[in-house]
Amino acid sequence: MHGATNNLIEDLVEDLAPVRTLKPKNGLAIVGGLTLTSAIAVAGTLGVRNDLIIGMVDEMFFLRSGVLLMLGIATAITAVNMARPGVGKLSHGWIWALITAALFPLTAAIMSAISMPPVEALRPMEGLKCLTVSGIAALAIGSGLTLWLRQGAPTSPERAGWLVGIASGALGAAAYNIHCPFNDIYYIGLWFTIPVIIGAIIGRLLVPHLIRW
């Protein structure tokens, strides 16, 4: 009996293989690389906004870029840290980033309640292009992050799904931002918010099934 048990243990030990520790910086490198690639693709296919080319950039571009990148980076950092359960304390910085990002749609909503903006301010056709391109970029970024998370062991797949969706939506919109020439608060509050919301919903619905262990 003991001999059979020892043989079984030896067989199991022989099948063991060292597991490479996941490093969050590698996950962030993937996210950063895909975001940069998306921005380059946008610039190469659609072009760069004129004020960037001539070096006289509107302040709203920096505000929009900063908020989107802050939200995307904060949620991505939290997401990649979830690949190693029990290591460190889960950061809540992404929540403050989300609150800050919400100021754009909130401001647009308040201004719309005071004075209804004309349809021209919303630019539906341009907005749909913004949504489409941002969505494609978000899909690439989110897919890369999800595949990386599959190598880990997130203990809360649902939360990871929210985070992946928000991160990819924000960074996808940031990639499109290098082309978008519009600085109107109504336009920004609507068309740069929708990709984040859609990304969050899709992330919550799909990602948990892909990374569950």
Side-chain angles (χ1 to χ4, degrees):
M1 181 68 179
H2 291 292
T5 302
N6 291 335
N7 290 335
L8 177 60
I9 294 175
E10 290 176 0
D11 291 339
L12 291 174
V13 170
E14 289 178 358
D15 292 335
L16 292 177
V19 177
R20 185 175 57 184
T21 302
L22 279 181
K23 297 180 179 179
K25 66 178 182 180
N26 293 338
L28 291 177
I30 291 174
V31 172
L34 290 171
T35 302
L36 181 59
T37 301
S38 298
I40 293 173
V42 169
T45 55
L46 301 177
V48 178
R49 42 185 287 157
N50 290 330
D51 57 355
L52 272 178
I53 295 176
I54 64 177
M56 298 179 63
V57 187
D58 188 278
E59 295 86 353
M60 186 59 76
F61 170 80
F62 290 112
L63 287 173
R64 186 169 64 195
S65 299
V67 168
L68 289 171
L69 289 173
M70 177 180 64
L71 177 60
I73 293 171
T75 47
I77 289 174
T78 306
V80 299
N81 282 329
M82 292 183 69
R84 298 193 301 169
V87 178
K89 185 178 180 180
L90 184 63
S91 171
H92 297 288
W94 68 273
I95 297 177
W96 293 108
L98 185 61
I99 293 173
T100 301
L103 292 177
F104 277 108
L106 181 61
T107 301
I110 293 174
M111 293 178 63
S112 297
I114 296 174
S115 177
M116 190 64 183
V119 176
E120 293 77 14
L122 298 178
R123 299 179 176 86
M125 296 307 297
E126 290 293 334
L128 289 175
K129 182 171 75 171
C130 169
L131 179 58
T132 300
V133 178
S134 298
I136 294 173
L139 179 61
I141 297 166
S143 297
L145 181 52
T146 300
L147 288 174
W148 186 83
L149 280 175
R150 278 175 60 88
Q151 304 174 61
T155 55
S156 178
E158 291 76 16
R159 179 181 292 176
W162 286 119
L163 292 169
V164 170
I166 294 172
S168 57
L171 294 174
Y176 177 74
N177 186 43
I178 198 171
H179 163 75
C180 180
F182 306 115
N183 303 308
D184 192 287
I185 187 62
Y186 297 111
Y187 182 90
I188 297 171
L190 177 62
W191 297 111
F192 278 86
T193 300
I194 293 178
V196 179
I197 294 175
I198 293 179
I201 294 173
I202 293 177
R204 172 60 182 84
L205 293 176
L206 296 183
V207 172
H209 300 289
L210 298 175
I211 65 174
R212 199 179 299 275
W213 52 282

